[in-house]
Amino acid sequence: MQEPLSIFIVSVSSLLGLAIVAVAGLRGWSGWLELKRAELGRPDAGPSNASARIEVADLKERIRKLEAIAAGVDI
């Protein structure tokens, strides 16, 4: 008679632990997205800074060149 009760308690505890981990992960993800929006100057909140756009374009170009070098393609 004790075994079904202990299985139920372990199951409920496992589900509760999983829910806590999921909520913590989602809050962390939300915070990370907010940080990235702040780093990019919040283009979704209004007009963005032209120098920030130029900097992002420059970074994208650098990444493209590094990926080409890694792939062995001569630019």
Side-chain angles (χ1 to χ4, degrees), residues 59-71 73 75:
L59 290 174
K60 286 182 181 180
E61 180 66 21
R62 286 183 184 179
I63 290 171
R64 187 186 65 80
K65 287 181 181 178
L66 288 173
E67 287 174 343
I69 290 170
V73 177
I75 299 176

Side-chain angles (χ1 to χ4, degrees), residues 10-20:
V10 169
S11 300
V12 169
S13 299
S14 298
L15 285 174
L16 183 61
L18 181 62
I20 290 170

Side-chain angles (χ1 to χ4, degrees), residues 35-57:
L35 174 68
K36 291 301 172 184
R37 284 189 190 113
E39 285 178 357
L40 291 175
R42 289 188 161 277
D44 58 336
S48 65
N49 191 358
S51 64
R53 279 196 248 155
I54 292 171
E55 185 177 344
V56 169

Side-chain angles (χ1 to χ4, degrees), residues 18-41:
L18 181 62
I20 290 170
V21 168
V23 168
L26 288 174
R27 290 193 69 184
W29 176 256
S30 176
W32 184 82
L33 286 177
E34 186 62 32
L35 174 68
K36 291 301 172 184
R37 284 189 190 113
E39 285 178 357
L40 291 175

